[in-house]
Amino acid sequence: MVNLTSVFVGHNQFEGQIPESIGNCKKLKELQVDGLYSVGGRIPTALGQLSNLEFLKLDTCDFTGVLPRQLGNLKQL
């Protein structure tokens, strides 16, 4: 999974949380998670490690808490 550049997950049966291990996907440029009320919990701080991320969409999910300050590290968004 470390070579992934795009992940689009939406409108399906996935459940749970985005794992902190998402931070290991250093080549990720696009992450879209939407239309998944069964995905929730806190937004992982590890997203801030994705320095190549150019597009991030977290929409219509059941996330809780505040946006992690680490998202400020994403200079290419």
Side-chain angles (χ1 to χ4, degrees):
M1 282 193 15
V2 295
N3 291 317
L4 287 175
T5 57
S6 299
V7 174
F8 300 98
V9 181
H11 305 285
N12 57 49
Q13 302 300 314
F14 286 133
E15 298 181 353
Q17 299 179 347
I18 299 173
E20 286 290 330
S21 60
I22 191 79
N24 296 330
C25 299
K26 304 293 184 193
K27 296 181 181 181
L28 198 62
K29 291 185 176 190
E30 300 176 84
L31 175 61
Q32 181 173 330
V33 181
D34 67 350
L36 296 171
Y37 293 106
S38 57
V39 172
R42 295 191 177 274
I43 297 171
T45 59
L47 286 179
Q49 299 171 17
L50 302 175
S51 59
N52 290 312
L53 202 63
E54 298 173 356
F55 180 83
L56 174 64
K57 182 177 182 182
L58 304 174
D59 185 35
T60 319
C61 296
D62 196 24
F63 294 115
T64 59
V66 298
L67 288 174
R69 62 180 167 79
Q70 290 84 348
L71 293 181
N73 298 336
L74 303 176
K75 306 298 183 197
Q76 296 190 53
L77 277 182

